[in-house]
Amino acid sequence: MKKNISLLLAFFFVWAFSACMCYLLNLVLGERSRFANGWQEYVIIGFAVATAGTFAPILSAWISKYFKKKP
């Protein structure tokens, strides 16, 4: 159970951190940026980053395990 809670907390931390970084990038670039139009897009981008960060290593391990079985 502790592992699930820590994984969930890490997921939310990465989600919030990436959304904040997207927001700051848009602030730095200003009007020249077509990065995102509203806070909803920051949340969506943050969710995509957190999902990829969580499940990409698992998927990579599964794919490498699958190809090791083939001669």
Side-chain angles (χ1 to χ4, degrees), residues 22-65:
C22 290
Y23 175 72
L24 291 175
L25 179 67
N26 200 27
L27 281 179
V28 169
L29 295 178
E31 291 293 323
R32 297 174 299 188
S33 173
R34 297 275 183 190
F35 189 67
N37 294 327
W39 65 270
Q40 295 93 349
E41 293 181 14
Y42 301 130
V43 172
I44 292 169
I45 292 168
F47 182 76
V49 169
T51 304
T54 302
F55 295 114
I58 297 168
L59 183 62
S60 174
W62 182 76
I63 289 172
S64 66
K65 186 185 221 183

